[in-house]
Amino acid sequence: MRYADADRTGALFPQDRAILSDEEVERILAARLVLPDSARVAVPDVSAGSSRGYQYHSPTERQLPEQQVRDVEAALLQGDRVDSVVFLTSLLAPSPLSIPTVREAGLRTQADVVLVVRTEVNLYRDFRFFRGDRYHAYSTVEVVLIDIRTGLAPFTHIVTRDLVTSKQEEDPSAVETRQRAIASATSPSMEAIGAALVAYLNAAK
């Protein structure tokens, strides 16, 4: 990247300095993150899930986002750099979540990093006469890893999946079909997230 006749050490727009001063920007960019060899990871409560265009219809469906995060926990513990995983209750990290609030909550549990996982499910029903209705499930899983000591976010990842499924003979009702559609769309995303996290942590200095 080349600059012509520009001040390379300061913001070019004065209003930017109202958020961060030039000195703070330089200090942040000069920081070098060092993760511990054996990290304690804090994960905010996600049991409520997140949805758009869809309402969960059963307790089992409402538990799916939490179960998926448990799968990520299992993947993290199989890596070389994670010693333990602690789940932050809503009392410690109330909604809406923000980086300052989850960082403070992680400090209270003496965690080294906070892993924020957001799962969004869009489920639509395709009505078809004389043929079984189809369900279109679209899932997006976002993760942000936040270092407790510095507030830096050294790792972010987004995975999306989509699935079209119909009612099967083994589905007693449409509820089971919906559950299968949601799980089939989100489980591969969570597996990919877990693998990417472990690879990053194992390679991190």
Side-chain angles (χ1 to χ4, degrees):
M1 185 179 295
R2 301 180 61 185
Y3 298 87
D5 300 326
D7 182 0
R8 302 187 187 188
T9 63
L12 299 180
F13 300 93
Q15 60 268 30
D16 293 346
R17 298 190 181 96
I19 300 175
L20 289 172
S21 68
D22 293 338
E23 292 77 12
E24 289 171 325
V25 170
E26 288 297 326
R27 181 167 173 263
I28 292 170
L29 293 178
R32 292 296 176 262
L33 178 63
V34 178
L35 294 175
D37 293 333
S38 183
R40 179 177 174 86
V41 181
V43 182
D45 176 38
V46 294
S47 58
S50 176
S51 64
R52 181 187 300 166
Y54 174 71
Q55 297 295 322
Y56 292 115
H57 289 79
S58 72
T60 302
E61 290 180 18
R62 293 187 181 94
Q63 293 168 3
L64 281 172
E66 182 176 2
Q67 179 58 50
Q68 291 150 9
V69 173
R70 294 287 182 181
D71 293 339
V72 173
E73 174 193 17
L76 287 173
L77 292 175
Q78 290 178 0
D80 301 328
R81 300 290 293 275
V82 176
D83 175 67
S84 61
V85 178
V86 57
F87 285 83
L88 303 176
T89 67
S90 57
L91 179 63
L92 285 172
S95 297
L97 296 178
S98 66
I99 290 180
T101 58
V102 297
R103 187 183 177 200
E104 178 184 351
L107 279 171
R108 293 183 184 276
T109 63
Q110 293 189 319
D112 298 292
V113 293
V114 176
L115 178 65
V116 181
V117 182
R118 180 177 180 270
T119 303
E120 182 174 284
V121 179
N122 295 265
L123 189 65
Y124 302 98
R125 187 176 182 181
D126 182 11
F127 293 94
R128 300 192 304 172
F129 291 104
F130 309 115
R131 294 182 294 176
D133 294 341
R134 295 191 306 183
Y135 290 89
H136 297 255
Y138 304 89
S139 74
T140 300
V141 179
E142 303 174 342
V143 296
V144 179
L145 190 69
I146 302 170
D147 177 56
I148 289 291
R149 292 171 176 80
T150 62
L152 296 175
F155 178 86
T156 64
H157 202 57
I158 301 175
V159 177
T160 61
R161 291 289 189 275
D162 63 88
L163 175 82
V164 179
T165 188
S166 302
K167 187 177 184 299
Q168 304 297 319
E169 292 183 0
E170 61 269 21
D171 295 339
S173 67
V175 172
E176 284 72 23
T177 306
R178 289 193 297 264
Q179 291 174 189
R180 181 163 49 79
I182 294 172
S184 297
T186 55
S187 292
S189 298
M190 301 304 288
E191 292 175 3
I193 289 290
L197 268 170
V198 170
Y200 167 76
L201 290 172
N202 287 346
K205 295 181 180 181

